[in-house]
Every structure is written in C-alpha cells, then in structure tokens.
Amino acid sequence: MKHSWTLILLALALSARPSFAQIGPVQWIDSTTLTAGLTQFEMIDLDLDGQEEILVSISGVNGKVGFFPPVANGLFGEFQPIGDIPIASGVASGYFNQDEWPDLVAIGGLTHSAWIYLQDSSGFPSPILLDDQISILVNDVVVADFDSTQGDDLVIIGQHSIDFYRNDGSGNFTKEPILTTSTSPKVLECIDVAKADMDGDGDMDLITGETAGLVVYLNDGWGQFSPDYFSLIEEVVEWVQPVDLDQDLDIDVIIKGNSGDIKWFSNDGTGALTYEATWSHLPNLTSVATADFDLDGDMDLLASHPNAISMFLNDSLQSFQSEIPLYQNPALIMGQVQVIDLPATSGMDIVWSGANSSVGYHLNLFSPSTSTELIRNSLSAFPNPTEGIILCDLCADMESIEVYASDGRVVHTTLGDSKIDLSHLQDGVYLIRGLSHEGIATSFFKVIKQ
C-alpha cells in the first residue's frame, strides 16, 4: 500500500548530554555463505508498503542482486533474488521513468557491464543492458538527479573511467564521459565514488578516490562536472565517506589511503577541502558509515576491520579515540557496514557483512539517562508526505537543521527556519534533526518526500 499521511514525530528535549547509545547483540539476517562477497547495502521501500527492504548485491561467479524483506519486530526474511549478476559489484535505487515504483541499476558481470531494472506493479522484469563497454573493472555507482530534470541519472566509476549517464526522464540514458585515461592528470585508476552537495548550491556533486588522490567534481547543476584535487601527497585513495564531521553545515570527507591511514578533510562551504588530521590510531578499516549513534550532536564512526565490527565515538574534537567493539569473530574477514533506520527503535541501527559469509545487524537501544528528560511534543510540521516544502514551527528555534537519508547520510543542511525545502531530494523517508544553539540534538522527526 502507499505511504500513510501520518507524520511520525519524536522530539527530544535534552537537558544534558545523553549516555552512550546501547547497541544490542548481533542478530542474524543470514549466517551462510549465500552472502559471501556482499558488495553493497541499501535500505529502500521497494514495494511501497511503508516498510523498507535491505537491498544487496553479492559478488562471485554466482552473484546476484536481491533483497531481504522485513517481517516483524525488526526481523528479516529469507533472501529474495531479483536478478543474476556474476561478480555483482554494486546496486542502487532511483526513479528512472516517472512512475511511483523504485527502479534499480546493477553493475558487474563478466563483461564489465551495467543493467537497469524498471520496476512496475508486477515487480521487476528482465534487466535492460545499459552499458557493456565500461573500462575494465566496474567499481561503484551512485544515483541522483544530477542535471535538475525529471528522472534520476547515474554515475558509474570503472577502473579507468568515470561516466555520467543522463536520463531523458523515461529511463533512456545517454553516456557522457567525465574522466578517461586521456584526461586524467595521472596514470588512471578509479576506485570509489560518493555523492553529496559539496558547495551548498542544491545539486549533487561527486567525491572520488583515484590514483590522483581525493578528487571533488563540482556539478554546475546541469550534469557538467569540474574536478578539484585535494590530496597533499602522492596517494591512492581506496574509499571516500562524505559527512558533516565538524557540524558547520557543510560536507567534509573522510578517506582511506593506500597506506591504510584514515584522514579527514574539512570543507569551507564552497567544496574546497583542507587536510585536517590523520587518525593513525585507527585500525585498517575496510568500510565505514557515519551517524550520531549516541545523540550527542556529533557524528560517530561505524567501521569494519579484520575480524571485527566497531564503533568509534566522536569526542567533538574529531579524534575518535574511544572504540566500542560490537562484534568479533576470527572466522569472518568483515566487509561492508551500513547505517539503517528500523521502526523497532528510535536511534540509527547497524547492518554489516562478514565478507566471506553472513549478514548481521544490531538494534540501537538508546534510552536517555536519568539526567535526561524525554519530552514528546506534537510538532507543527506539514504537509507530510510532501512534494518539497514542509513547515515546522519549532525548527525556527533551532540553530541548524540536518536532513538524513535512511542510510545515515546527511543529504541537506540549513540554518534554523520554519520552512524546510526538500524538493531537490529523491523520493523517500528522511529524518529531520534540529540542533539547539548549544549544539545538542534536541528534536527528531520523520517526513516522507514523494
């Protein structure tokens, strides 16, 4: 069924910093080798029933894309395949042809390809081949309306290329190169890509890890991308993670270099990045995700590293000295981690892949300490669902407003205002967080963008 018009509101008035979020024990979504080689997670309401599935891609010669359906009380059912994609290296959802159903793009294959799945009321039909000429390995894909027209577009990063696929609004795509071996300033290896509004102009830009280091491609709003290079030394960047780390209303970047060092770069608000620190005390992190797990107003790190899943709490100085082990198993290599928002809890929850087998998750069982007062308010925020603008009286009293996607990414930030514009975001469920003038998270509510 379609999304309800009911607004789910949860307001927290914090008189003190809350205690650490209590993370529950591991619960198993899959404990077999079916999920060996899992390469990507995404939470998405595929069937429009108001509950989000866990969309995944699985590598290997018998690779697949599919999902784990929610059943009840934060539990998930058996894996439901959508399509066979040998060596599937990624999957992402978007709205490609102007209907209400989420569509998919999957990448991988023995011929380094990409496919589109245009969902309708009967489910997912056979995939449509998008491209079988991607340069060698296909490493990642991101989806957004990059050119400010109807229908989401794609950016796919191959081993020796970055390509933009412009959507005509009906699910027909035109390939336009962003970077090739002939235009790269260095011997070209492209490894990772993420999306975020780096310069605050309302459109999605690209952040990539390459042999040229950390690169930001600023979007002119029409799908034309201009690169800026920010690594200070010769380094190959293995992954990038955009996040507003210093809570100044712009998107910073965390990277892992080929030496294993984890670094962060601050953003001046225009997309220009400045190296800030190397966290040499952190282990060799395979994958990271970010969220304010302990609801203290700053972003923490969720990470996988060999045989372990850990949380590193932010001390507001961005040093991440405090490690909270969540799960350890010498039989698991550990792969992708992701932040998810399950209806069974009020905080951001955790899902991870063991890499060589298994998918586990943890519920965030945070409850305020006795020194923290929980107040439930009837906030005036409407319309909900919305096509773009929501009105929230309380939000005008906040220092700043942050909008989170269901995977924990900050997708929009603004100063406190009674009017919040979500029109540039793709359809979905978002968490709106207000920060007080003391920098403490004081209110949360969910809104549906459609």
Side-chain angles (χ1 to χ4, degrees), residues 23-24 27 29 54 291 293 301-303 309-311 326 337-342 345 347-352 360-364:
I23 303 299
Q27 300 185 59
I29 298 173
I54 300 180
F293 293 106
L301 296 182
L302 169 67
I309 303 294
S310 297
M311 183 181 296
L326 300 181
V337 297
Q338 188 57 270
V339 176
I340 60 178
D341 183 16
L342 297 176
T345 66
M348 303 305 290
D349 308 296
I350 293 164
V351 63
W352 51 265
Y361 72 107
H362 302 257
L363 296 178
N364 186 342

Side-chain angles (χ1 to χ4, degrees), residues 73-97:
N73 301 320
L75 301 176
F76 292 88
E78 295 183 354
F79 177 75
Q80 303 296 310
I82 294 174
D84 294 326
I85 306 287
I87 318 179
S89 53
V91 64
S93 67
Y95 294 86
F96 300 149
N97 58 354

Side-chain angles (χ1 to χ4, degrees), residues 260-418:
D261 288 336
I262 311 300
K263 305 176 183 180
W264 84 279
F265 292 73
S266 65
N267 187 349
D268 68 358
T270 69
L273 301 181
T274 300
Y275 167 78
E276 294 289 349
T278 298
W279 298 318
S280 56
H281 64 283
L282 294 180
N284 184 20
L285 303 184
T286 302
S287 173
V288 299
T290 56
D292 183 9
F293 293 106
D294 52 4
L295 302 183
D296 66 350
D298 50 40
M299 302 298 282
D300 309 303
L301 296 182
L302 169 67
S304 62
H305 50 103
N307 313 122
I309 303 294
S310 297
M311 183 181 296
F312 296 89
L313 296 183
N314 192 346
D315 58 4
S316 77
L317 299 176
Q318 292 79 50
S319 64
F320 299 98
Q321 296 287 340
S322 177
E323 179 180 0
I324 310 295
L326 300 181
Y327 184 78
Q328 295 179 329
N329 187 334
L332 296 180
I333 299 171
M334 298 305 180
Q336 296 299 306
V337 297
Q338 188 57 270
V339 176
I340 60 178
D341 183 16
L342 297 176
T345 66
S346 59
M348 303 305 290
D349 308 296
I350 293 164
V351 63
W352 51 265
S353 161
N356 49 318
S357 75
S358 305
V359 174
Y361 72 107
H362 302 257
L363 296 178
N364 186 342
L365 305 176
F366 167 78
S367 60
S369 65
T370 55
S371 63
T372 301
E373 180 185 6
L374 177 64
I375 300 177
R376 297 180 184 274
N377 294 319
S378 295
L379 301 181
S380 176
F382 61 92
N384 187 27
T386 179
E387 294 183 356
I389 303 294
I390 61 169
L391 303 178
C392 171
D393 292 339
L394 183 65
C395 295
D397 299 326
M398 300 292 104
E399 173 73 14
S400 62
I401 303 295
E402 297 176 334
V403 181
Y404 290 79
S406 61
D407 61 3
R409 290 180 298 109
V410 178
V411 293
H412 180 63
T413 58
T414 183
L415 297 176
D417 197 328
S418 61

Side-chain angles (χ1 to χ4, degrees), residues 124 156 168 211 350 356 416:
F124 289 97
I156 296 176
D168 68 358
T211 44
I350 293 164
N356 49 318

